[in-house]
Structure formats: C-alpha cells, structure tokens
Amino acid sequence: MSKILEMRSITKEFPGVKALSGVDLGVERGEIHAICGENGAGKSTLMKVLSGVYPHGTYEGDIVYEGETVRFGSINDSEDEGIVIIHQELALVPYLSVAENIFLGNETRNRLGLIDWDSANHRAAELLDRVGLHENPTTPVGQLGVGKQQLIEIAKALSKKVKLLILDEPTAALNDTDSEHLLGLLRTLQEQGITCIIISHKLNEIAEIADNTTIIRDGQTIETIDMSEPESTQDRIIRGMVGRDLESRYPDRTPDIGEEVLRIEGWSVDHPTQAGRNVISDASLSVRKGEVVGIAGLMGAGRTELAMSLFGRSYGRNIRGKVFKNGQQIQVRDVDEAIQHKIAYATEDRKRYGLNLLDDIRHNISSAGLRQLAPGGWVNGNEELKIAEDYRESLNIKTPDVLVNVGKLSGGNQQKVVLSKWLYTDPDVLILDEPTRGIDVGAKYEIYTIINKMVAAGKAVIVISSELPELLGISDRVYTLAFGRITGEVPVAEATQERLMELMTLERDQPLPTKETNS
C-alpha cells in the first residue's frame, strides 16, 4: 500500500508549552490507523494541525497528503481535499433536523439559489442508509441518542466525499452495542476505500480494529506498531503510553467493609416532562463503609437518573421511596440537603455539569464546600488557596498551580478536580458516574487508586460505569439495572461479564431472578 498521509517533524507550541515536538506520522491508504497516548500527550493537537484548525504558519514541519505537500489555512481547506475530522464533542445542532445538520454549511440549492429541501432530505436518507441508521431525515437531532448522533456525524463526513476520516474518541460515550456497530461501520468504510484515523483510550477496540497504532507520549512519537504482529499486545501499548509497565489495570485492595451507610428502598421516579413515563421503578440498594458498589446497565437503563434523583432530586418528578443514612431515614429534597447529609455525586458530564471551565482550579475545588470557607459570609481566600494546593498535590493534578483555568487541563486532570471538589465536602457516600470516561489508562489507574484511598478511609463509594471489566476490577458488589429496575445484585467474586450482561438485558415483563446475595 502507498501512504496517503505523512506528517513530518510536526512541532506545535502554545505560550509556555510545547505540545508537539518533532512528531512523525505515516498512514497507509485504506487502513485504519489508531493513535494512542495519555491525556495531554498531543493526539488531538496533532489532528487539529492536520485538519487546519491550527493553520499553516502556526506550527513547524510538513504535511504530505496524497504525495503533495499541503498547507491548510482552515478546516474548510482540509475538507475540500477530503480530510474530515469528527471531534469528541459532537458538532451538531440539537434543534435542527438530521438533514439540516448533515448539510449545514454545505446545503443543496436549486437554480434560484434556494435550499432544495426535497433533494436534501432524499440525499440525507441515502447517507443514513449507508451508515446503517434508520431515522427520518426530518427528525430533530436532539431527540436522538448519542450513538445515533455519532452516526449522523459520519453521514455528514460522507456527504463531503471524505477520503481520510479522523475520529477523536468516537466510542467514549457509547455503550457496547453502539460501539460495536460503529466499529463495524468503520470496517465497511475501509472496504469502500476510505482511510480512517481513530484516537481512542479503549485499547480492546484498538486491538480489534486497527491495522497500525502510533503511540504519542509527551508530544513525541514513541513508535508505530503493526497490530498483526504477535507482540502487539495491549500491555505493549500501555508501556509505550505511560513509559512503564502497569502490572495490573486495577490496583490491589483488601476490602475492609463495615456497617451500612446508605440504603434506598422502593425508589421510583417519573420522567420530568413525559407524563406517565416511569424511569425508575421500585429500586432498592445499599452500600457500606469501605465498600465499592458498582451499578451496571445499558444506555437508557436509568443509571444516571437513579443517581441524580437520589442526589437532592436533581432529576425527575413524583419521586417516591425512602432513604436511610446510618439506619435513620433522611430527607434529600435538594442538592444542598444531600450535601448536608454528606452525600456527593460526581456527574458523568464533567464539562457541562461538573466544572466551570472558564474558572480556575482553586474556585472549582471549593465550589461545593464554600460554607466551610465562609463561616462569616466572606470566603477566606488564603485558606481556599491552601486547600486547593493540598488537593493538587495529594491527587497529583498535573498543573503548575491552582490558578490555571480548568478548561486547559486534560480530561484525567479535570476528573481529579471534580473528585477534589466533592472530597472537600467530606462525604460519607460518594456516587461516581462514569468516573473514567474519556481518560487514558494511566489516569484511570490513578482514579482507581483515589477510590481505594477513599474506601480505606471508611467512605462508601457507588460507581456507575459502562465498562464491565472496570466494575469487575474495582467493585465489591455489582447491581444491574434494566428498564429502570434493579434486576440483580452479584458479589464481584461470583460475577462475570456474561452474567452481568444477562441481567442487564432482562425485558420489562420478564420476572426478576432470585436475589443472589443479601444486601
């Protein structure tokens, strides 16, 4: 095969930071090429250089595309040549239709210069069929799940006659079924002659789909691995990414489980806007001191809805059921009351709901516990700074100081800021919703270590995760959820991915199995 792309000695600097230092990348025509590296390694920066987001003149080095040196001044220039990038944060307008999103900025017009909606909808339907999505082109995108929105982004790329498709963390927010469908689509596109570059932290998917994998660490190319070679294991990729061996993906922990801290009974929640739709039905669960309890479920099962409704009723309406803390029934009618009862919730969407990306680390860490810093109504700024610095050091937040804006941090470091914010409230119960989504294997290990320290200190931790190996690796018990019902409770010693998946896919009308352990 001939190379469709060569990036030679790419160097990119920001004020005070060298993001890329002489990076080389070669991609064969028609292959699926993976790029791996820790958060902040420079992967996304490299792709922004390639696509013209960072235009020629703002970096050093050469880009050779289809045998010719190219100098893109904008993303429109790269798209004109058939290079299309799909960012991790999907660029879709929720209030516009599928067809309107696909052709946004590239509208089909008639002889009078007006948009030809009939033609646009017809072409959109053809593109949707090509990516295996059977939706009406006039459907507003906001009504569709993230898995379908990812497919719409690919349909949008196909409308631009894409030759080189770049996908940045395309499966980070997808469940296993949607992820497998997307990977299958990439194979189909490969068969049609489209070259793909995929950035991902999911090493099992990389091993499954990539022809070659380039590892970037600290802004430099480490190596490119031929994935057909026997020694091209996930452990080798990890070693290249982090510069050392991780003997285990999950740090060892000897459980020391104490008394029950939190219990909910008969918890039911209605949809906030759709009358008559029950989202959580008669759910009951518990968690003890020093215990990590996992919650597994497919997308739409109600995992986040359960957590948010419990955390100060921040989701849903007509919420019924009882909450017990240390054996006493309590009320958690709002978020402040939940915090008062030492319950904390770290959201799955850290960028939208967990952090203020325009503010610095110091203010983000103190935001949920300001009451402790302002006993007289005035925030003690010196104490606030000291506390933030303490968390920066203890959680190894990689930043020169706590006055840096959170939006400039990598995903793993942003997640540590979220954890710091809630740890500062000194919770007895910490609910972590997708705590390692979109972060690399090294940062994941650090998050798992933080969780272990919390339970070693007697905290009770509930972890919601789409990754079953993660739940099996860090939990003591796992609850399964399907269609808003708790369908199983399994000690991790007896749990397998197959058993959990069986419980996660129980239909609404199927009887629940006999409980496998007492809570």
Side-chain angles (χ1 to χ4, degrees):
M1 287 191 294
S2 62
K3 281 187 168 57
I4 188 174
L5 173 70
E6 288 184 86
M7 302 184 75
R8 301 171 180 169
S9 301
I10 302 297
T11 297
K12 172 66 179 174
E13 295 188 33
F14 298 100
V17 178
K18 182 174 280 191
L20 300 173
S21 180
V23 171
D24 295 316
L25 174 68
V27 179
E28 302 287 342
R29 189 181 303 276
E31 76 163 325
I32 297 177
H33 194 110
I35 299 179
C36 290
E38 293 188 279
N39 289 100
K43 308 179 300 295
S44 296
T45 300
L46 184 66
M47 292 301 98
K48 288 177 180 178
V49 166
L50 171 59
S51 61
V53 173
Y54 298 138
H56 182 262
T58 65
Y59 61 88
E60 298 176 7
D62 294 316
I63 300 173
V64 179
Y65 176 66
E66 294 201 300
E68 295 186 3
T69 300
V70 293
R71 297 177 174 87
F72 299 135
S74 69
I75 197 167
N76 289 333
D77 292 345
S78 64
E79 288 186 351
D80 288 342
E81 297 298 326
I83 300 174
V84 180
I85 183 169
I86 299 176
H87 298 281
Q88 183 176 357
E89 306 295 333
L90 301 181
L92 298 173
V93 182
Y95 302 108
L96 297 183
S97 72
V98 172
E100 287 171 325
N101 270 279
I102 288 175
F103 297 112
L104 187 62
N106 188 32
E107 291 83 1
T108 301
R109 299 181 183 275
N110 59 26
R111 294 177 181 177
L112 300 176
L114 301 176
I115 297 175
D116 187 341
W117 290 116
D118 287 339
S119 176
N121 288 330
H122 179 73
R123 287 184 59 204
E126 292 177 342
L127 291 166
L128 293 177
D129 184 63
R130 192 172 169 187
V131 300
L133 181 57
H134 306 293
E135 292 289 340
N136 190 319
T138 63
T139 302
V141 161
Q143 295 181 9
L144 304 178
V146 66
K148 293 181 178 180
Q149 290 185 21
Q150 190 71 260
L151 296 178
I152 292 168
E153 281 279 23
I154 295 177
K156 185 177 179 179
L158 294 176
S159 74
K160 299 173 181 177
K161 297 187 168 84
V162 61
K163 298 176 185 176
L164 176 59
L165 179 64
I166 306 163
L167 302 104
D168 192 352
E169 294 289 349
T171 64
L174 304 186
N175 59 33
D176 290 343
T177 302
D178 286 340
S179 294
E180 189 58 41
H181 178 72
L182 180 60
L183 296 181
L185 175 59
L186 295 186
R187 295 189 191 94
T188 300
L189 296 178
Q190 182 183 28
E191 293 169 358
Q192 296 171 2
I194 295 174
T195 305
C196 295
I197 296 176
I198 179 172
I199 298 172
S200 179
H201 291 128
K202 296 186 178 181
L203 300 187
N204 60 322
E205 294 180 355
I206 294 302
E208 177 184 346
I209 198 171
D211 298 301
N212 290 284
T213 299
T214 295
I215 300 171
I216 297 177
R217 184 173 74 237
D218 298 329
Q220 297 179 309
T221 304
I222 301 302
E223 65 174 328
T224 295
I225 302 171
D226 182 346
M227 298 302 290
S228 65
E229 296 177 357
E231 62 271 21
S232 59
T233 62
Q234 293 185 39
D235 287 340
R236 179 179 171 183
I237 296 174
I238 291 171
R239 188 165 58 250
M241 288 171 58
V242 303
R244 64 189 188 280
D245 289 314
L246 286 181
E247 296 180 3
S248 172
R249 303 281 181 89
Y250 308 100
D252 292 332
R253 174 171 64 90
T254 301
D256 183 16
I257 299 173
E259 297 298 317
E260 179 184 274
V261 180
L262 184 76
R263 181 172 83 254
I264 65 171
E265 293 181 353
W267 199 254
S268 296
V269 180
D270 290 346
H271 193 279
T273 61
Q274 299 177 18
R277 179 184 168 190
N278 189 234
V279 180
I280 302 296
S281 302
D282 196 29
S284 298
L285 59 81
S286 66
V287 59
R288 302 178 176 91
K289 289 183 179 179
E291 183 180 35
V292 179
V293 167
I295 297 182
L298 299 176
M299 189 174 292
R303 300 168 304 172
T304 294
E305 292 82 355
L306 173 62
M308 290 181 66
S309 62
L310 175 62
F311 183 63
R313 301 176 180 247
S314 50
Y315 173 89
R317 62 183 183 83
N318 192 24
I319 298 173
R320 296 89 70 197
K322 298 178 181 179
V323 183
F324 296 88
K325 175 88 183 302
N326 298 324
Q328 300 295 316
Q329 186 172 353
I330 62 172
Q331 298 294 324
V332 282
R333 289 163 291 201
D334 55 37
V335 170
D336 186 62
E337 201 164 32
I339 294 173
Q340 291 289 318
H341 284 297
K342 293 188 174 293
I343 300 171
Y345 168 65
T347 172
E348 64 174 337
D349 192 344
R350 59 178 173 266
K351 291 187 176 181
R352 183 178 299 179
Y353 301 118
L355 298 168
N356 179 354
L357 298 179
L358 301 179
D359 207 344
D360 58 34
I361 297 169
R362 168 193 53 180
H363 290 150
N364 272 276
I365 289 177
S366 64
S367 60
L370 278 178
R371 184 181 283 106
Q372 302 173 65
L373 286 167
W378 296 93
V379 174
N380 185 330
N382 290 332
E383 182 68 13
E384 182 182 38
L385 190 63
K386 178 182 180 300
I387 287 165
E389 284 289 355
D390 288 343
Y391 278 109
R392 180 180 74 90
E393 183 175 344
S394 63
L395 271 65
N396 191 28
I397 302 172
K398 294 170 184 168
T399 177
D401 59 63
V402 296
L403 302 181
V404 172
N405 272 23
V406 168
K408 295 182 178 180
L409 300 180
S410 67
N413 287 304
Q414 287 181 351
Q415 190 64 22
K416 291 177 188 177
V417 174
V418 173
L419 291 177
S420 299
K421 177 178 79 170
W422 289 113
L423 288 176
Y424 179 53
T425 66
D426 190 29
D428 295 329
V429 181
L430 181 57
I431 305 170
L432 304 176
D433 197 347
E434 299 286 2
T436 65
R437 171 175 288 172
I439 64 177
D440 63 77
V441 64
K444 284 183 178 183
Y445 191 90
E446 291 184 303
I447 297 297
Y448 302 147
T449 301
I450 293 168
I451 292 173
N452 284 358
K453 288 180 180 178
M454 287 190 284
V455 293
K459 308 294 185 184
V461 178
I462 298 174
V463 176
I464 299 169
S465 177
S466 299
E467 298 186 30
L468 296 184
E470 177 172 80
L471 290 179
L472 294 175
I474 66 175
S475 303
D476 298 298
R477 286 183 294 133
V478 179
Y479 287 96
T480 54
L481 199 64
F483 297 103
R485 300 187 303 166
I486 298 287
T487 56
E489 176 192 349
V490 190
V492 75
E494 302 172 16
T496 63
Q497 291 190 57
E498 292 76 15
R499 179 57 180 146
L500 295 180
M501 186 59 70
E502 178 184 346
L503 293 168
M504 289 159 53
T505 54
L506 284 178
E507 298 293 338
R508 293 177 188 273
D509 55 353
Q510 283 185 268
L512 298 179
T514 303
K515 187 176 275 192
E516 301 184 33
T517 183
N518 293 322
S519 59

